[in-house]
């Protein structure tokens, strides 16, 4: 199978549409989204509708959760709060039910784990060696036989590896393509479609080939100016528009 894996759309319709065009030319069998359909950008409802239309396999993100459980947004910054309130205003009750029904973690095809933050919590991060080690230990204890976990939330493409001795490391520079060793465990982040934060303003994603055991880290350009104009027209904070150009 060839599987497209994306995360953190955050209401960026222009990025999502460009991504779908790109994936159609890459002949993927499935598309997986690792959470956060809403927040930050101007088209949360349109993105939600398109994800359903394309039958994207999805899990819940922390911004999605905050739509119907406001207490979980207590740690959001001011910009995130304003964008969350805008998203709530745009979504219908049916849209909110869709978000409520998304799983927080899911095992696919008996082999692959998908989540937003970590398998434990949509709000927590995998940002450093200590956090990666903790999640690898969790996989070994709770998810027997699972050696690949795809996660999002950080908005940055990342690869963590635990070798057969249990040594955990991450490549200093991310290769475009990686062959997966059957004796290793992996935590893999595709980056963000809707608000990339790796100083590259393209929409980031990856393609996983389960037959060849390879992943390809990819990115696609999109109409940033149109997305920015929509943010300003929606009277969302100007910085949310400006950061798209810089990929931060």
């Amino acid at each position: 199978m060839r599987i497209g894996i994306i995360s953190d759309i955050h209401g960026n319709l222009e990025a999502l549409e460009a991504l779908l065009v790109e994936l159609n030319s890459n002949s993927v069998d499935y598309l997986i989204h690792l959470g956060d359909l809403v927040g930050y950008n101007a088209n949360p409802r349109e993105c939600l509708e398109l994800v359903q239309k394309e039958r994207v396999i999805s899990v819940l993100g922390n911004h999605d959760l905050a739509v119907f459980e406001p207490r979980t947004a207590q740690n959001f910054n001011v910009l995130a709060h304003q964008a969350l309130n805008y998203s709530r205003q745009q979504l219908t009750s049916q849209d909110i039910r869709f978000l409520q029904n998304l799983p927080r973690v899911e095992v696919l095809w008996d082999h692959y784990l998908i989540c937003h933050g970590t398998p434990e919590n949509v709000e927590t991060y995998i940002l450093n060696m200590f956090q990666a080690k903790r999640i690898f230990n969790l996989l070994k204890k709770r998810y027997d036989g699972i050696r690949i976990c795809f996660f999002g939330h950080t908005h940055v493409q990342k690869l963590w590896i635990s070798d057969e001795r249990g040594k955990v490391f991450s490549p200093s520079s991310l290769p475009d393509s990686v062959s997966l060793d059957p004796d290793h465990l992996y935590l893999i982040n595709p980056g963000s479609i809707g608000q990339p934060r790796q100083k590259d303003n393209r929409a980031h994603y990856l393609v996983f080939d389960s037959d060849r055991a390879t992943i390809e880290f990819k990115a696609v350009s999109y109409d940033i100016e149109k997305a920015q104009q929509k943010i300003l027209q929606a009277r969302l904070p100007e910085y949310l528009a400006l950061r798209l150009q810089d990929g931060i």
Side-chain angles (χ1 to χ4, degrees):
M1 291 185 296
R2 282 177 57 80
I3 305 166
I5 301 181
I6 64 176
S7 190
D8 296 275
I9 296 171
H10 283 299
N12 191 331
L13 182 62
E14 285 66 40
L16 178 57
E17 289 177 335
L19 178 279
L20 291 173
V21 171
E22 181 88 354
L23 286 181
N24 284 337
S25 67
N26 278 281
S27 301
V28 299
D29 301 298
Y30 295 95
L31 179 57
I32 294 171
H33 179 239
L34 302 176
D36 275 358
L37 278 161
V38 306
Y40 295 132
N41 295 290
N43 292 115
R45 187 179 183 195
E46 292 83 354
C47 288
L48 194 149
E49 290 174 346
L50 189 52
V51 161
Q52 292 178 84
K53 177 184 176 183
E54 296 292 328
R55 298 183 179 180
V56 178
I57 299 168
S58 299
V59 291
L60 187 75
N62 62 309
H63 286 253
D64 306 324
L65 176 64
V67 167
F68 57 89
E69 289 191 14
R71 62 172 182 80
T72 63
Q74 291 176 355
N75 293 324
F76 281 18
N77 62 41
V78 174
L79 302 180
H81 262 293
Q82 291 183 43
L84 176 64
N85 290 334
Y86 171 82
S87 291
R88 285 199 189 106
Q89 294 166 8
Q90 300 301 307
L91 299 178
T92 66
S93 57
Q94 184 176 349
D95 296 330
I96 294 173
R97 281 196 298 273
F98 173 80
L99 295 177
Q100 289 173 324
N101 288 328
L102 290 176
R104 301 190 184 203
V105 62
E106 189 163 3
V107 175
L108 298 177
W109 304 291
D110 297 323
H111 292 294
Y112 316 115
L113 186 70
I114 62 172
C115 62
H116 182 65
T118 70
E120 297 175 302
N121 193 320
V122 300
E123 300 174 78
T124 53
Y125 288 89
I126 305 173
L127 290 169
N128 56 45
M129 184 77 69
F130 172 79
Q131 292 166 335
K133 285 182 178 180
R134 188 173 61 81
I135 299 305
F136 278 127
N137 288 333
L138 177 73
L139 292 182
K140 294 172 186 177
K141 293 177 181 178
R142 193 180 300 178
Y143 296 96
D144 185 43
I146 300 295
R147 66 184 189 89
I148 301 175
C149 172
F150 295 102
F151 70 101
H153 196 30
T154 69
H155 295 221
V156 176
Q157 291 177 328
K158 190 70 175 179
L159 174 66
W160 292 99
I161 304 168
S162 177
D163 67 17
E164 60 271 19
R165 298 168 298 171
K167 180 182 178 181
V168 175
F169 60 97
S170 179
S172 56
S173 60
L174 200 62
D176 292 335
S177 181
V178 180
S179 295
L180 304 180
D181 189 313
D183 294 323
H184 293 176
L185 301 179
Y186 295 91
L187 304 174
I188 308 171
N189 191 321
S192 172
I193 288 292
Q195 195 192 76
R197 297 178 186 171
Q198 53 193 80
K199 299 181 180 179
D200 178 345
N201 63 18
R202 296 175 297 168
H204 292 78
Y205 69 104
L206 66 80
V207 174
F208 171 48
D209 190 318
S210 61
D211 297 324
R212 296 183 179 181
T214 61
I215 54 171
E216 297 174 84
F217 289 100
K218 294 178 172 288
V220 60
S221 298
Y222 70 96
D223 192 341
I224 292 175
E225 184 176 347
K226 185 175 181 181
Q228 290 176 312
Q229 290 172 350
K230 287 183 175 181
I231 289 171
L232 298 177
Q233 289 168 358
R235 296 185 178 180
L236 287 164
E238 183 183 16
Y239 179 68
L240 296 178
L242 294 175
R243 72 184 302 172
L244 291 181
Q245 186 62 50
D246 295 326
I248 59 173

